[in-house]
């Protein structure tokens, strides 16, 4: 049974999520503030975290960054903030997905299913290779030469898509649809944020760039 940790200070929403997710056969742990949520995640590591942004004391952004520093657990952030800059800020803090309140429970459930599915090891693990870059679909770990590095759930999805389509120019729309499953809006720079994350990790030791920008179109995985 997969374990979901809900960190939410609104008792009505917290109870809705606890009852709804339990009905869907998930094990659910709840916390009503950031500090107790971090303690719960440490004591009983969850398979996924549903995290409220606007909490007194330790807010969701800080909790998200601390969770992300400790593990690659998928994080679904809930918030009433719905502007593009707010969405990007939430994703930059380490969240894998973002849902604006008020939300429909079936949509939340679909997001939960998608995030958990992406973290499941492939039934037939592969080692994807391009140049000196490798991606293990079983362990979800990446390597550049002999240097191994970890990826968050969204970073993995993005890199896997690029590596399954090397030397092909992929448009922003194709990538957003395939990796995020819905459109963040034409002015959102969430994709650029995650491309930057991947470049930081794949070029950490000064390795040659493999992920290139095709101006006004999208991105391509290729050697210079």
């Amino acid at each position: 049974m997969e374990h979901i940790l809900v960190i939410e200070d609104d008792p009505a929403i917290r109870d809705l999520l606890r009852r709804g997710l339990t009905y869907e056969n998930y094990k659910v742990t709840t916390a009503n503030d950031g500090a107790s949520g971090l303690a719960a995640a440490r004591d009983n590591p969850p398979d996924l975290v549903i995290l409220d942004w606007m909490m007194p004391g330790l807010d969701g952004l800080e909790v998200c960054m601390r969770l992300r520093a400790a593990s690659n657990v998928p994080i679904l952030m809930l918030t009433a903030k719905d502007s593009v800059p707010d969405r990007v800020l939430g994703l930059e803090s380490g969240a894998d997905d973002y849902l604006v309140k008020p939300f429909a429970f079936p949509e939340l459930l679909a997001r939960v299913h998608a995030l958990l599915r992406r973290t499941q090891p492939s039934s037939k693990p592969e080692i994807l290779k391009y140049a000196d870059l490798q991606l293990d679909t079983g362990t979800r770990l990446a390597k550049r030469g002999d240097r191994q590095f970890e990826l968050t759930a969204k970073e993995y999805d993005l890199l896997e898509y690029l590596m399954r389509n090397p030397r092909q120019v992929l448009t922003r729309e194709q990538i957003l649809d395939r990796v995020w499953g819905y459109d963040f809006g034409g002015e959102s720079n969430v994709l650029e944020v995650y491309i930057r994350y991947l470049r930081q990790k794949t070029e950490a030791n000064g390795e040659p760039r493999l992920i290139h920008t095709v101006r006004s179109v999208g991105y391509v995985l290729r050697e210079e």
Side-chain angles (χ1 to χ4, degrees):
M1 182 180 292
E2 288 164 313
H3 175 209
I4 296 176
L5 170 61
V6 175
I7 308 174
E8 166 65 66
D9 70 323
D10 185 318
I13 296 176
R14 193 169 62 244
D15 188 54
L16 167 70
L17 294 176
R18 180 188 58 78
R19 288 185 290 106
L21 292 168
T22 300
Y23 181 79
E24 295 293 331
N25 295 317
Y26 291 108
K27 175 185 176 183
V28 182
T29 300
T30 63
N32 59 10
D33 59 51
S36 59
L38 287 171
R42 181 189 63 240
D43 296 341
N44 188 10
D47 296 303
L48 181 141
V49 175
I50 297 175
L51 174 63
D52 181 39
W53 182 331
M54 302 293 287
M55 293 186 292
L58 209 58
D59 72 8
L61 290 182
E62 181 63 27
V63 173
C64 187
M65 288 186 283
R66 295 190 189 188
L67 287 170
R68 182 57 67 234
S71 78
N72 286 328
V73 62
I75 300 171
L76 173 59
M77 186 166 280
L78 304 179
T79 180
K81 294 174 176 282
D82 63 354
S83 72
V84 168
D86 286 329
R87 282 184 280 175
V88 172
L89 182 60
L91 293 164
E92 284 190 316
S93 73
D96 294 291
D97 205 350
Y98 187 106
L99 192 57
V100 176
K101 299 177 180 177
F103 56 85
F105 184 77
E107 182 180 3
L108 178 136
L109 194 60
R111 304 283 184 94
V112 166
H113 288 164
L115 285 172
L116 288 171
R117 186 169 60 248
R118 288 168 183 157
T119 58
Q120 297 300 321
S122 170
S123 57
K124 292 183 179 179
E126 303 174 66
I127 304 294
L128 304 178
K129 297 180 181 180
Y130 183 75
D132 63 344
L133 180 63
Q134 295 185 33
L135 184 64
D136 188 324
T137 65
T139 64
R140 302 175 74 86
L141 292 173
K143 291 178 70 174
R144 188 79 195 263
D146 294 326
R147 179 176 62 84
Q148 181 171 284
F149 53 93
E150 295 185 347
L151 300 166
T152 66
K154 272 292 183 290
E155 290 169 352
Y156 172 87
D157 291 343
L158 178 54
L159 185 57
E160 181 187 17
Y161 186 44
L162 290 169
M163 292 190 72
R164 290 191 183 279
N165 298 277
R167 298 177 297 277
Q168 295 183 42
V169 177
L170 302 170
T171 68
R172 293 183 78 259
E173 291 72 21
Q174 284 177 306
I175 298 171
L176 285 170
D177 183 64
R178 178 62 178 266
V179 176
W180 276 270
Y182 52 93
D183 189 4
F184 272 88
E187 297 183 6
S188 170
N189 68 341
V190 63
L191 177 53
E192 286 70 24
V193 167
Y194 275 85
I195 290 289
R196 185 170 77 244
Y197 292 162
L198 285 182
R199 284 175 173 162
Q200 289 171 350
K201 291 187 176 184
T202 58
E203 303 169 18
N205 282 359
E207 296 95 339
R209 176 158 294 180
L210 290 176
I211 302 171
H212 298 273
T213 302
V214 180
R215 192 168 180 175
S216 301
V217 181
Y219 298 92
V220 59
L221 183 73
R222 61 171 170 76
E223 295 181 272
E224 286 285 18

